[in-house]
Each structure stands twice: as C-alpha cells, then as structure tokens.
C-alpha cells in the first residue's frame, strides 16, 4: 500500500492489521493498493439469490439487517446486499419502495435447501418480515447467482 505521505507498507492480517482491516471498506481513501496476494480455491455450489419485499417490512428489515451484521464473525459464510429501490411508475404510492435482498451463503451445502441458512434466519418467511413477494433463492453456482446482478441500464 502506498500511503498519502509516499511510504510503501505491507498490510496483512498480521502486519499493519489495523490498516488491513480498514482498507476493506476505504475505497482507496487510506492509500493506493499496488499488490494483492490471495489464495484461489474451488467453490462448490452455494445458496443464494434475490428476495423482494414491500416497504411495509422496513422496520423488520432494519432489525434483521442489524442482527445479521452483529453475527458476521460467528458465521463468515453469509453475504447480504441490501438494496432499497424506488419505482415511480408503480401506481400505488405506498408500494413504490421495494427492498431487494441479495443473499449468498458459501458454506458447503448438500442436498436441497428447504430453509434459510443460519445467518439469514431473520429474513426467513417465518420471521417477522414474512415471506418475500418474489424470490429466486436456490443452490446454484456462483456465476449463475452473480448473473442476477446484471440489471438493465435504466435500473442501475
């Protein structure tokens, strides 16, 4: 990492660990990252997809999201992208806010998954949020799941 004063430092989970942790969300505000070392591994199929909820679930969504983030250290296999969208073309004003939750769970799962994996229990259909309006949740490969992120230009 090249710091603002021109110093070049290494940042790992053991060397400059505080910088290493902070860089994950800093978007290059703490320095310019000039090199990445990582280990590649074969990923089996994973659980994930998109679930769509109406605006009436907002209070419960926020509570579930807070609990999800509190428990990340207990189950690092969960990933959640929380998207709030506004669709002015929907006739009923109270229905124009739509919440899209993009879930991924990377722990090895076998057989059909009939319930939400542990980190997502707060979002499950039997939670206070209730069932999603629509969902594409399934066990599938990573490229298929990430393909759902390719929104048309007018929705980006």
């Amino acid at each position: 990492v090249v710091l603002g004063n021109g110093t070049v430092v290494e940042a790992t989970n053991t060397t400059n660990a505080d910088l290493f942790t902070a860089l994950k969300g800093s978007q290059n505000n703490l320095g310019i990252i000039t090199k990445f070392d990582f280990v590649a591994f074969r990923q089996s199929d994973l659980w994930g997809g998109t679930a769509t909820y109406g605006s009436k679930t907002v209070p419960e969504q926020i509570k579930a999201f807070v609990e999800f983030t509190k428990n990340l250290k207990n189950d690092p296999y969960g990933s959640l992208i929380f998207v709030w969208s506004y669709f002015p073309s929907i006739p009923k004003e109270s229905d124009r806010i739509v919440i899209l939750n993009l879930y991924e769970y990377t722990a090895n799962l076998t057989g059909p998954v009939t319930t939400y994996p542990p980190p997502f229990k707060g979002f499950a259909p039997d939670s206070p949020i209730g069932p999603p309006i629509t969902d594409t949740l399934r066990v599938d490969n990573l490229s298929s799941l990430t393909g759902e992120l390719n929104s048309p230009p007018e929705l980006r």
Side-chain angles (χ1 to χ4, degrees):
V1 178
V2 180
L3 302 178
N5 65 5
T7 305
V8 177
V9 298
E10 183 176 349
T12 70
N13 61 341
T14 57
T15 304
N16 295 312
D18 55 343
L19 177 61
F20 176 74
T21 300
L23 283 168
K24 292 179 185 179
S26 73
Q27 300 178 7
N28 282 341
N29 288 321
L30 301 174
I32 299 171
I33 300 168
T34 60
K35 178 182 168 189
F36 287 97
D37 292 326
F38 59 91
V39 177
F41 62 93
R42 184 170 300 283
Q43 173 65 54
S44 63
D45 285 350
L46 48 133
W47 178 87
T50 303
T52 305
Y53 302 89
S55 62
K56 292 178 182 162
T57 67
V58 167
E60 292 83 11
Q61 289 280 345
I62 292 170
K63 289 176 192 170
F65 187 72
V66 168
E67 288 304 309
F68 173 82
T69 56
K70 281 184 187 177
N71 290 308
L72 282 175
K73 64 181 177 241
N74 299 325
D75 192 341
Y77 300 107
S79 174
L80 167 61
I81 300 174
F82 194 58
V83 179
W84 290 33
S85 298
Y86 181 76
F87 296 95
S89 61
I90 294 177
K92 189 174 176 187
E93 187 171 348
S94 63
D95 292 340
R96 292 180 185 165
I97 294 175
V98 176
I99 298 166
L100 304 170
N101 290 345
L102 291 79
Y103 305 114
E104 287 185 349
Y105 192 65
T106 60
N108 289 334
L109 300 170
T110 57
V113 177
T114 58
T115 185
Y116 285 44
F120 305 107
K121 292 295 184 193
F123 298 94
D126 61 350
S127 75
I129 293 172
I133 297 167
T134 63
D135 75 67
T136 61
L137 302 174
R138 64 200 183 276
V139 174
D140 208 341
N141 63 55
L142 182 61
S143 61
S144 175
L145 290 167
T146 57
E148 290 184 25
L149 301 175
N150 291 331
S151 300
E154 65 272 10
L155 297 178
R156 289 186 197 160

